[in-house]
Amino acid sequence: MTLHLPDAHGALHAYEPRTEPQPALRASPGSAFTSRTVFSAAHVVADPYADTTPDGPAAVDWDATLAFRRHLWSHGLGVAEAMDTAQRGMGLDWATAAELIRRSAAEARATGGRIACGVGTDQLTATTGTTLAEVRAAYEEQLAVVEESGAQAILMASRALAATAEGPDDYLEVYGHLLRQCAEPVILHWLGPMFDPALEGYWGSSDLDTATDTFLQVIAAHPDKVDGIKVSLLDAQREIDLRRRLPQGVRCYTGDDFNYPELIAGDDRGFSHALLGIFDPLGPLAAEAVRVLDTGNVDGFRELLDPTVELSRHLFQAPTRYYKTGVVLLAWLSGHQSHFTMVGGLQSARSLPHLARAYQLADRIGLFPDPKLAEERMRNLLSLYGVTR
């Protein structure tokens, strides 16, 4: 049945939905990946019946949230927990994030899934009087929760550190202090200001070349404590240049949701592993693509993943930090949750034309396991906004 989808100018256009999913979605999960380490940064499912407000504590549907993580693990993907995709600092408070880490880590142990969890400082609100010691203490509190859960730690960029640090030396001091006490090698996360404007000038400089030098100094001083780096700057060449400068044995996990196929495929001088928010909605398709890459078939890998880039670039378009809304929309349309509600009320962060385009792009590449269900749910959403044709 025809859907009438609104465009950015308010005009309705007829669209004929697919009737069958992408054939690759029918592939059995298969064995573990052999050529790349791949994490999906997973979203959280809100409790739609909670009587809360956007600035209140997050209310999470734990059953649905953990079920989605089992879905990702079943396809061989690792889960990057309590990261930006899970709305850290955008609806998910630290107390709820800590519970999420503990619950997901326990679920990972029970299912044999791989998990790494975000360590930040979001329990701390930086003021003019905030000290580096307070930033370190906030990091340490969260690091303890992750390590006690048995998960790998991801040291995330800190708004409090960005606001408090006076230059590169402060970053070297804080990260050096944390790395010296980490029980196991961690992943360092460089999240660009397009994802969080409060992180402008991270590593002590708005000049990315200078910031890169400081970042590499942190790694060079503690290579045995750094499993890898996650780079989320949406600049493919900068990521390539950076990964070529990493010490031997330190991985580069791409966080580039614009250029991931080429970065994961790599070149004759190396490749990136993956830790991506777009692999939340692309989970089964991404997993099948990596298994094709495991056989050495780069062209087959690109044939599966290249058509997804237009969707990803749409979801992550500026203001990029609101990409989570499109991710949760696709989870609902795909049947992974029963509603389109988000913690912090973030379902309102994107316009109806944006959501309609996300549906259309996902449907065109056959991303929905049940296209009929996706069509019915999209029709209901359109009706809620007053589109009745």
Side-chain angles (χ1 to χ4, degrees):
M1 295 178 64
T2 301
L3 282 175
H4 290 87
L5 303 176
D7 65 18
H9 304 289
L12 295 177
H13 297 274
Y15 175 70
E16 299 291 335
R18 285 179 64 127
T19 58
E20 295 292 334
Q22 155 74 250
L25 294 185
R26 298 196 184 97
S28 58
S31 58
F33 307 139
T34 57
S35 65
R36 304 290 188 273
T37 300
V38 182
F39 289 94
S40 165
H43 75 281
V44 294
V45 183
D47 178 355
Y49 304 122
D51 184 11
T52 186
T53 60
D55 57 354
V60 174
D61 180 336
W62 294 111
D63 289 342
T65 293
L66 295 176
F68 188 75
R69 280 132 183 82
R70 291 193 296 271
H71 155 73
L72 294 172
W73 285 319
S74 74
H75 289 278
L77 298 161
V79 168
E81 187 58 276
M83 300 287 291
D84 187 57
T85 307
Q87 297 179 241
R88 287 292 290 272
M90 290 187 69
L92 189 73
D93 55 283
W94 164 239
T96 310
E99 184 173 1
L100 175 65
I101 288 166
R102 295 185 181 102
R103 286 176 180 255
S104 292
E107 198 74 17
R109 290 194 300 273
T111 61
R114 182 166 185 168
I115 189 168
C117 299
V119 172
T121 64
D122 46 322
Q123 75 273 49
L124 178 66
T125 301
T127 66
T128 54
T130 300
T131 66
L132 288 180
E134 289 173 322
V135 174
R136 287 196 305 269
Y139 263 128
E140 289 171 337
E141 177 188 354
Q142 295 199 15
L143 180 61
V145 170
V146 171
E147 290 189 335
E148 287 166 6
S149 77
Q152 184 178 17
I154 303 172
L155 294 186
M156 300 192 300
S158 161
R159 291 175 181 172
L161 181 55
T164 304
E166 295 182 354
D169 288 347
D170 287 341
Y171 287 87
L172 293 171
E173 193 278 326
V174 170
Y175 276 90
H177 178 86
L178 294 170
L179 289 172
R180 283 190 292 273
Q181 62 184 284
C182 289
E184 301 291 341
V186 306
I187 298 172
L188 297 180
H189 186 191
W190 185 356
L191 189 69
M194 66 289 293
F195 288 92
D196 187 344
L199 299 178
E200 178 65 42
Y202 212 74
W203 304 111
S205 177
S206 293
D207 179 84
L208 290 180
D209 291 335
T210 302
T212 296
D213 289 342
T214 302
F215 187 42
L216 288 169
Q217 284 185 58
V218 171
I219 299 165
H222 308 277
D224 58 322
K225 290 296 185 77
V226 181
D227 163 63
I229 63 168
K230 169 176 159 57
V231 187
S232 300
L233 298 176
L234 304 183
D235 184 333
Q237 190 57 53
R238 182 167 293 278
E239 178 175 321
I240 291 168
D241 293 342
L242 176 55
R243 80 185 181 202
R244 289 174 178 171
R245 296 174 64 187
L246 291 175
Q248 185 71 27
V250 176
R251 298 168 171 157
C252 179
Y253 293 93
T254 187
D256 188 331
D257 301 278
F258 282 6
N259 304 291
Y260 50 93
E262 64 187 84
L263 291 166
I264 298 170
D267 54 31
D268 58 358
R269 295 179 60 185
F271 56 81
S272 295
H273 299 271
L275 198 165
L276 287 160
I278 192 58
F279 279 8
D280 176 303
L282 295 185
L285 182 58
E288 180 60 18
V290 174
R291 288 195 174 87
V292 170
L293 185 60
D294 286 346
T295 69
N297 184 356
V298 176
D299 289 342
F301 167 80
R302 297 294 298 266
E303 285 173 8
L304 284 172
L305 270 198
D306 282 359
T308 70
V309 171
E310 186 178 7
L311 169 64
S312 188
R313 290 189 175 207
H314 175 73
L315 296 182
F316 286 78
Q317 69 181 217
T320 302
R321 60 189 179 278
Y322 296 124
Y323 76 87
K324 297 92 164 173
T325 303
V327 166
V328 174
L329 171 79
L330 296 182
W332 173 55
L333 295 177
S334 295
H336 294 298
Q337 55 195 79
S338 61
H339 58 86
F340 179 38
T341 306
M342 299 177 66
V343 298
L346 210 64
Q347 68 272 11
S348 66
R350 292 292 202 187
S351 68
L352 181 62
H354 179 93
L355 300 177
R357 182 64 175 162
Y359 162 77
Q360 185 177 25
L361 291 172
D363 184 68
R364 279 181 179 174
I365 60 175
L367 192 61
F368 300 122
D370 184 345
K372 183 63 177 176
L373 174 66
E375 176 194 336
E376 290 174 352
R377 289 186 167 183
M378 192 65 210
R379 194 178 299 280
N380 288 337
L381 183 63
L382 292 166
S383 176
L384 180 65
Y385 278 81
V387 180
T388 56
R389 292 175 57 187

